[in-house]
Amino acid sequence: MDKHQHPWADCVFVDGRFQPPLDGGRSDIRDKSTDEVFATAGDASAADVDAAAASAVTAQRDWAARGHGERAAVLRRVAAALESATGLVELIMRETGCVAGKAEYEISAAVDELTEAAALASRPVGEVLRTSHPGRSSVCERVPVGLVAVITPWNFPLVLGMRVIAPALALGNAVLLKPSPETPGSGGLAIAELFARAGAPAGILQVLPGGERVGRRLVEHPDVAMVHFTGSTTVGREIARTAGSLLKRTSLELGGNNALLVLDDADVDQAAMIGAWSSFHYQGQTCISAGRHIVDRRVAEAYLRNLTDRAAAITVGDPLRQRTGLGPIINDAQLARARRLLDEAVAGGARVLTGGTNDGRFFRPTVVVDVDPASALWTEEIFAPIAPVAVVDGAEQAVALANDTRYGLVCSVLGADVHRAAAVAERLTCAMVHVNDATPQDEALAPFGGIGDSGLGGRAGGDANLDEFTERRWRTVTGTPVHYPY
Ligand code: NAD
């Protein structure tokens, strides 16, 4: 593949144009399976961030003043451009090391985000308030926040960008997007290409690829009114500190250590299938992967056998060149972390039932039992295809173990008696919970987010986006003369 084939090769996207960064910085984009450099992106400088922010301030005023129908039409055209885009599946596969199904999912989910955001643009917003002042009208209206900095991770670069960009734009904001350095294409520049093709007004979306330096500059930039961050809890904490000291609005979508509870009446075959998908899907590299399987003793033996068989049957390899279930771990640092978590747990007494090995970044799906609940494998987010399983006696123990975490993203409860399973689900401390389905779930209309170490500040999806991307403004209009004492 010619690495200069993309219109965005070596570029940033500022003021509606692909252009080289002002200091000429660039970075390679590697195929995660082969390490081949298959494309290049610009590496934004501080001067690019400043230029993008200046252009976005003007563009945002004009964009917010346009009719909602016009904003919706732009988003629908971007959705159409996305549906007809060529080469995007391959770009996502190579940048993220995923199978075709995951890349196709990202595209269809991003289309959903755009479609729902287009509908959001015309939603009635605001309230007519009662007032004790005769002759006054009093309303609460929703106004755009202004410039939203959107900082995204590498795992689902297209959809995690679009689920923020689309509603933020629909509601009259402008966006400065910084994708992960692992995925500057599908997480940023390819999105800019869609907006350019759809004839979106210049400046409403600016894309600034780069690393921490660009991220920090965005968070600190005086023109940025809001920071929307999706990524690790560690970086989220730093952003919260900086944005807090600057009194900036923040929304943080962070990591998870999600529990899958298998109750004593669960259908073991179904449960193991759901468990395997929850832990191994996209190499376990999602914030909503199951990092803890909590299984009732009555079904534990059968569950472990079934889950182990399923894990052992999954193929691992380069998804672009062979039919495979799983691709590689994203990079060597993440691989080393996964190895350390597993090796330390094994040194502490854990037993690997299947997997536990890796060929370079290709990591075998792993089932592990007897994990010390104080070990990092049990308490931390894993981000690799590893399923630690704990055996408990009864629902009380299951709930207590599931809630014993600082994270609070998602849980699943599996059981044949649906009402009992739903009652168990009610007792779990997390922002999202699913009965009889896998932990990885996301829909454009559902409020996605986390509590505790998993998130702060808001939810993405459906009506939650109105709160997320608008400020409430109280407006009164008085038509009769008023009198004050002096
Ligand atoms: P990361 O926190 O390392 O990086 C995320 C983004 O922040 C990247 O664009 C990175 O360049 C940028 N960044 C890094 N340091 C920064 C700083 N000091 N200031 C500003 N920006 C900075 O995360 P990652 O490794 O790219 O992604 C994996 C993490 O994302 C996992 O922890 C996962 O759980 C989380 N995640 C959360 C959700 C959610 O919706 N809750 C979704 C997907 C991923």
Side-chain angles (χ1 to χ4, degrees):
M1 186 187 279
D2 172 12
K3 61 187 177 189
H4 298 291
Q5 64 166 336
H6 299 288
W8 41 260
D10 293 342
C11 286
V12 295
F13 185 66
V14 173
D15 201 25
R17 285 186 302 277
F18 289 111
Q19 53 194 57
L22 291 164
D23 68 357
R26 54 175 293 289
S27 61
D28 292 336
I29 309 179
R30 287 179 189 278
D31 183 312
K32 301 304 181 288
S33 294
T34 60
D35 265 344
E36 175 203 349
V37 175
F38 73 97
T40 56
D43 204 355
S45 65
D48 293 303
V49 175
D50 293 349
S55 146
V57 165
T58 316
Q60 190 267 325
R61 278 195 215 110
D62 172 63
W63 178 239
R66 293 187 188 211
H68 62 81
E70 222 180 311
R71 292 202 297 271
V74 168
L75 295 171
R76 283 195 298 270
R77 292 203 302 273
V78 177
L82 177 52
E83 276 177 314
S84 63
T86 53
L88 204 46
V89 168
E90 185 179 332
L91 178 64
I92 297 172
M93 289 175 74
R94 299 186 84 166
E95 271 195 317
T96 70
C98 72
V99 297
K102 182 263 196 187
E104 285 156 4
Y105 158 77
E106 277 213 65
I107 291 172
S108 75
V111 169
D112 283 353
E113 295 291 347
L114 285 157
T115 311
E116 289 303 333
L120 184 71
S122 58
R123 284 290 308 277
V125 288
E127 299 157 73
V128 176
L129 305 174
R130 293 187 194 283
T131 172
S132 48
H133 294 256
R136 166 189 276 189
S137 75
S138 176
V139 299
C140 169
E141 58 187 1
R142 302 265 194 167
V143 295
V145 177
L147 248 62
V148 183
V150 178
I151 301 176
T152 54
W154 46 262
N155 58 348
F156 284 73
L158 175 65
V159 71
L160 292 179
M162 203 63 91
R163 82 174 177 187
V164 187
I165 300 165
L169 292 180
L171 295 167
N173 302 284
V175 168
L176 302 175
L177 171 65
K178 193 206 84 63
S180 163
E182 296 285 5
T183 50
S186 55
L189 294 166
I191 297 176
E193 193 181 343
L194 298 172
F195 274 75
R197 272 185 33 217
I204 60 167
L205 172 70
Q206 322 245 358
V207 179
L208 300 155
E212 290 178 36
R213 194 175 40 82
V214 180
R216 288 204 177 100
R217 182 86 179 179
L218 280 170
V219 173
E220 288 164 6
H221 201 286
D223 290 333
V224 168
M226 171 178 179
V227 179
H228 192 292
F229 171 79
T230 307
S232 63
T233 301
T234 309
V235 174
R237 252 185 241 290
E238 180 190 325
I239 289 178
R241 271 195 298 273
T242 310
S245 72
L246 296 168
L247 302 181
K248 264 184 206 193
R249 187 170 170 140
T250 46
S251 196
L252 307 174
E253 301 278 2
L254 309 177
N257 182 11
N258 312 300
L260 178 99
L261 282 65
V262 183
L263 303 182
D264 58 4
D265 62 344
D267 173 330
V268 168
D269 194 47
Q270 263 284 310
M273 182 177 62
I274 289 170
W277 178 257
S278 297
S279 282
F280 305 141
H281 162 55
Y282 184 45
Q283 295 87 266
Q285 298 176 120
T286 88
C287 57
I288 43 187
S289 299
R292 297 176 295 150
H293 297 226
I294 299 175
V295 184
D296 194 281
R297 192 174 303 283
R298 291 201 202 170
V299 291
E301 199 185 319
Y303 180 82
L304 279 168
R305 205 179 316 120
N306 199 315
L307 183 66
T308 301
D309 288 349
R310 286 176 187 275
I314 298 173
T315 51
V316 184
D318 177 348
L320 212 59
R321 289 158 193 89
Q322 66 193 82
R323 272 183 71 87
T324 179
L326 302 186
I329 300 276
I330 193 78
N331 57 34
D332 291 341
Q334 288 287 340
L335 170 69
R337 184 174 174 279
R339 270 263 56 103
R340 176 176 59 76
L341 291 181
L342 184 63
D343 294 346
E344 282 175 8
V346 169
R351 278 187 301 127
V352 172
L353 299 187
T354 184
T357 55
N358 63 290
D359 179 5
R361 291 199 294 272
F362 296 95
F363 204 104
R364 285 292 318 156
T366 300
V367 179
V368 56
V369 287
D370 300 338
V371 179
D372 177 354
S375 68
L377 187 69
W378 189 257
T379 59
E380 296 295 320
E381 180 179 55
I382 301 174
F383 249 58
I386 303 176
V389 182
V391 179
V392 294
D393 294 297
E396 281 305 314
Q397 267 190 21
V399 169
L401 192 57
N403 285 341
D404 186 17
T405 174
R406 300 183 315 276
Y407 293 98
L409 199 54
V410 64
C411 289
S412 283
V413 183
L414 313 180
D417 179 341
V418 176
H419 294 290
R420 176 169 161 255
V424 169
E426 262 178 44
R427 299 173 56 200
L428 299 173
T429 315
C430 52
M432 303 180 284
V433 64
H434 307 295
V435 173
N436 287 333
D437 210 337
T439 53
Q441 307 286 339
D442 189 12
E443 289 188 45
L445 280 174
F448 190 104
I451 56 176
D453 279 6
S454 293
L456 182 73
R459 296 287 181 275
D463 279 0
N465 284 329
L466 278 176
D467 290 329
E468 193 80 340
F469 299 112
T470 61
E471 294 284 4
R472 284 186 168 83
R473 183 168 67 180
W474 181 35
R475 175 157 55 102
T476 70
V477 177
T478 302
T480 52
V482 294
H483 297 286
Y484 289 104
Y486 51 86

